[in-house]
Amino acid sequence: MTAQSTLVSGFEADPPGRGFPPASRLRGPVAHWSALIVLLAMIVLLALPAIWTTSPTALDPSNALSPPSLDHPFGTDQVGRDIAARVLHGARLSALVAVASTLIALVAGGILGAAAATGPRWLSEIIMRVVDVGLAFPGILLAIVLAAAIGPHLSTTIIVLGVLFTPPMARVMRALVFKEYGEDYVLAARLTGTSRRRLVIFHISRNIALPVTVFITITMAEAIVAEAALSFIGAGIRPPAPSWGNIIRDGYTMISTGAWWISLFPGFAVLAAVFGLNRYSEMIGKHVRMR
Amino acid sequence: MVLLIADPELGDDDVTERRRARRATWPYVLRRLAMAPLILLGVSLAMFIMVDLSPNDPVTARLGMLADAEARRQFAAEHGLDDPLPLRFWHFLVDLVHLDLGDAIVRSEPVSTLIGQALPVTVELIGLSLLISLPVAALLGTAAAWKEGRATDRVISTLAAFAQATPGFWAGLVFIQVFAVSLGVLPSGGYVPLSMGFTAWLTSMIGPALVLAMGFAAALTRIVRASMADELAKDYVRTTIGAGVSWPVALGQSVFRNALLAPLTVVGIFVGAMMSVAILVEVVFNLPGLGTLLVTGINQGDLAVVRGAALVGATAFVTVNLVVDLLYLVLAPQSAEAGTS
């Protein structure tokens, strides 16, 4: 994945130019675009629910199923809730699910992958065969079944998606750590008596940060789609909490009434978030390859 | 990675290299074939434990909340519910070998019967969308690589990136909104079996198949484009054209074969993504396939159905990946070394 430089600088554990680059070194379109995307996401997540003060759960039956207007730019649903407010608050839920489930996968997958890459052969075999079983479930099937077994809830969704993303994360981590293990700086550090855990946590982690970031970004995009999908089939976040998936579900139940606006806007929100995260990961990926 | 097999300029050394690589593939093939059943055993165990740990109580589900303690005990004893977990898993596996997945609680039919009815619908759906997406992706990907960096490429690449980011089930909703609710040219859902006539079947399937094909075609287009662009830039292509071979012949004889190998490896992975989108698309279009069976099972708390449908899905996925990997080995034997880790 990474274009490794052959430069090894003496006994320094971290040869220069191979870790996560400091902000000053991220220039050009990568820096601009990522800054813009992060900024926009921040504004939507933090500021807009405060500016758009309409409650996402307040019922207004007299205004039910009204098409987009100045009062309700995205229209209202079958019980008169403001879709714009629901979509904006849904962004927070989506972000929470995406970040939390990816974090679970990162920690669990990181530990499993590092253990498989650096541990004894029997441990590596056991971990990777369990990972193979996890990867044998197509897409979100595992999450659907797990969610059904535990019962739909916000915390269930986060845990279930964390479990779902752990096997691929473990596989990527193992490959990256394994590759770093062949580098001279690792050998140097090991010869000077650095423990395996310390080596992984303090040295290797810095050098694989960039490719891992690429994978994290893709995982977050997947988490957003998976949350929407789970909530859409009723195995994710339950209403009245506004999640993009269950707003689309509301639109689905109302589809024959011609109320197109209910599902259209949360769908665009998912599209925009996934598109942004995908492009972001592509840009970092290009940056990784160029080095 | 250098793909030697269809390279027009093969030297003697390369041929020897290929023979050696072909010999080295056998351990890999055997390993792969031996692993598949083991993985499926692991999948069955995972499914079994998941259903076992869930708060759903099969006794309550069958006898109702008001059953007395004596009846409960008897039911549990009859169905071996009090046996230790390994023994119950063993019974589950024995039943599985006999294609017995237990009985559905709500519809009180064997789960295998329900799956037998649902599976053809899902296979038809995925088959039809593969039929649509593969040629589209090959064509658009090649066109974009041909015009790399120019307007055609940019339009195709941007469209593909958008299509890839579009959630399939939502696209299905928009499709129904436009073609069924607004224009009224297609049904809003439902399934007509092929035996009722091809046109009627196609009318019921074309919407879901197109929606499912969209995401898959988009992802594949981008990979074909990258792979094609790499291949077109290689020296042998220029040599071939310089030697007077026409473009269609050069493309057909070697470029296509080499450039489509890389996309082949990801088809297996994409089929997994496709299956999960298919689950949701079936629900949206009300197609009585495996996905609908699964989701209905979840909404009714019928975990025997959920377990059966999920097992069939996982088995299909593992099988497809195995076939794709082996197919790739046949087409590019020297990749075996890369795959053994």
Side-chain angles (χ1 to χ4, degrees):
Chain A
M1 216 169 175
T2 38
Q4 297 285 351
S5 73
T6 47
L7 177 99
V8 178
S9 54
F11 288 100
E12 278 176 36
D14 294 290
R18 295 193 50 248
F20 199 93
S24 59
R25 284 187 50 229
L26 264 180
R27 284 206 199 91
V30 175
H32 294 168
W33 273 99
S34 23
L36 192 69
I37 289 170
V38 171
L39 203 70
L40 274 177
M42 284 296 184
I43 290 173
V44 170
L45 289 178
L46 299 174
L48 275 178
I51 298 167
W52 192 255
T53 46
T54 317
S55 159
T57 48
L59 309 180
D60 183 9
S62 62
N63 247 333
L65 290 179
S66 54
S69 62
L70 276 180
D71 274 351
H72 303 287
F74 293 177
T76 62
D77 64 9
Q78 59 269 40
V79 286
R81 291 175 297 202
D82 182 48
I83 303 288
R86 290 183 72 72
V87 170
L88 286 176
H89 284 263
R92 287 179 157 183
L93 263 183
S94 277
L96 174 68
V97 170
V99 170
S101 61
T102 305
L103 205 63
I104 292 176
L106 181 66
V107 172
I111 291 173
L112 288 175
T118 63
R121 198 179 160 80
W122 60 268
L123 182 68
S124 171
E125 278 293 315
I126 290 175
I127 292 175
M128 292 326 282
R129 295 298 82 82
V130 172
V131 164
D132 278 343
V133 170
L135 289 171
F137 289 95
I140 61 161
L141 189 71
L142 180 63
I144 292 179
V145 176
L146 260 180
I150 307 175
H153 192 262
L154 174 62
S155 55
T156 310
T157 308
I158 291 174
I159 294 167
V160 155
L161 292 182
V163 171
L164 179 70
F165 297 138
T166 297
M169 186 69 84
R171 185 171 262 195
V172 168
M173 284 292 197
R174 192 197 79 105
L176 288 173
V177 173
F178 196 74
K179 207 165 133 204
E180 286 297 312
Y181 236 58
E183 294 289 322
D184 287 350
Y185 79 91
V186 172
L187 183 66
R190 287 177 75 186
L191 287 175
T192 55
T194 317
S195 77
R196 201 190 304 154
R197 197 165 21 157
R198 201 184 150 77
L199 188 64
V200 170
I201 294 174
F202 291 103
H203 304 302
I204 293 181
S205 65
R206 288 190 52 183
N207 286 320
I208 62 174
L210 216 43
V212 168
T213 311
V214 175
F215 198 67
I216 285 176
T217 322
I218 297 170
T219 306
M220 281 173 62
E222 275 180 35
I224 287 173
V225 178
E227 181 277 313
L230 282 178
S231 301
F232 176 73
I233 61 169
I237 297 166
R238 279 282 165 97
S243 127
W244 288 341
N246 69 38
I247 310 171
I248 297 177
R249 182 187 170 92
D250 285 341
Y252 176 58
T253 57
M254 286 289 120
I255 193 160
S256 54
T257 64
W260 50 268
W261 53 89
I262 303 177
S263 56
L264 191 73
F265 296 107
F268 273 128
V270 176
L271 205 170
V274 172
F275 187 79
L277 285 168
N278 281 350
R279 290 313 293 264
Y280 187 63
S281 81
E282 272 166 36
M283 282 182 293
I284 308 176
K286 259 183 205 153
H287 183 78
V288 171
R289 278 192 299 277
M290 275 189 308
R291 277 190 305 136
Chain B
M1 186 175 59
V2 192
L3 299 172
L4 295 167
I5 183 156
D7 221 318
E9 301 136 328
L10 272 181
D12 285 347
D13 289 349
D14 295 334
V15 175
T16 325
E17 194 65 30
R18 266 170 60 192
R19 286 214 190 95
R20 197 174 299 137
R22 213 179 276 273
R23 261 202 305 274
T25 55
W26 278 107
Y28 174 72
V29 170
L30 289 177
R31 199 180 130 93
R32 223 34 203 88
L33 283 175
M35 276 308 294
L38 284 180
I39 288 175
L40 285 178
L41 190 69
V43 168
S44 320
L45 180 63
M47 294 297 306
F48 184 78
I49 291 175
M50 258 187 260
V51 171
D52 202 77
L53 290 181
S54 83
N56 285 51
D57 178 13
V59 183
T60 312
R62 184 59 67 83
L63 299 180
M65 300 282 276
L66 301 172
D68 60 77
E70 184 52 39
R72 286 170 163 276
R73 217 171 299 129
Q74 202 182 343
F75 182 85
E78 264 173 32
H79 291 79
L81 296 175
D82 296 329
D83 294 339
L85 188 98
L87 189 62
R88 277 182 293 135
F89 182 56
W90 172 249
H91 286 309
F92 171 70
L93 280 185
V94 171
D95 287 347
L96 205 57
V97 172
H98 296 106
L99 294 180
D100 178 4
L101 289 160
D103 291 335
I105 294 162
V106 179
R107 284 167 69 178
S108 65
E109 263 180 281
V111 173
S112 48
T113 312
L114 294 177
I115 289 175
Q117 291 161 355
L119 192 59
V121 182
T122 305
V123 171
E124 284 167 16
L125 172 65
I126 291 183
L128 187 60
S129 44
L130 278 177
L131 216 59
I132 298 169
S133 49
L134 290 180
V136 168
L139 208 70
L140 289 182
T142 309
W146 192 265
K147 302 271 180 193
E148 198 185 358
R150 287 195 250 162
T152 318
D153 177 26
R154 261 179 278 150
V155 169
I156 291 174
S157 297
T158 311
L159 279 180
F162 269 108
Q164 208 181 1
T166 307
F169 65 99
W170 176 71
L173 265 178
V174 175
F175 189 92
I176 293 174
Q177 193 75 58
V178 173
F179 289 96
V181 179
S182 300
L183 299 176
V185 289
L186 284 172
S188 66
Y191 174 69
V192 181
L194 200 49
S195 55
M196 305 273 284
F198 180 75
T199 322
W201 172 79
L202 193 66
T203 313
S204 74
M205 288 297 265
I206 191 72
L210 275 176
V211 167
L212 188 54
M214 181 190 69
F216 184 64
L220 206 55
T221 297
R222 307 184 74 194
I223 287 163
V224 170
R225 179 197 168 277
S227 176
M228 243 355 230
D230 277 356
E231 201 62 30
L232 285 174
K234 282 188 181 159
D235 287 345
Y236 83 85
V237 177
R238 202 170 43 185
T239 312
T240 314
I241 298 302
V245 178
S246 72
W247 270 113
V249 174
L251 281 177
Q253 267 184 352
S254 39
V255 179
F256 263 131
R257 188 169 176 185
N258 285 341
L260 295 185
L261 271 175
L264 182 65
T265 50
V266 294
V267 166
I269 301 163
F270 282 175
V271 166
M274 210 174 177
M275 282 167 83
S276 56
V277 179
I279 293 173
L280 300 157
V281 167
E282 279 178 11
V283 173
V284 169
F285 282 91
N286 207 8
L287 289 180
L290 269 185
T292 307
L293 190 66
L294 185 79
V295 172
T296 322
I298 284 166
N299 288 334
Q300 296 174 339
D302 201 338
L303 287 173
V305 172
V306 173
R307 181 166 63 189
L311 265 178
V312 172
T315 309
F317 183 51
V318 170
T319 313
V320 167
N321 269 304
L322 184 67
V323 170
V324 168
D325 281 3
L326 295 183
L327 199 65
Y328 187 69
L329 278 183
V330 173
L331 295 173
Q334 63 275 31
S335 70
E337 284 165 49
T340 43
S341 66

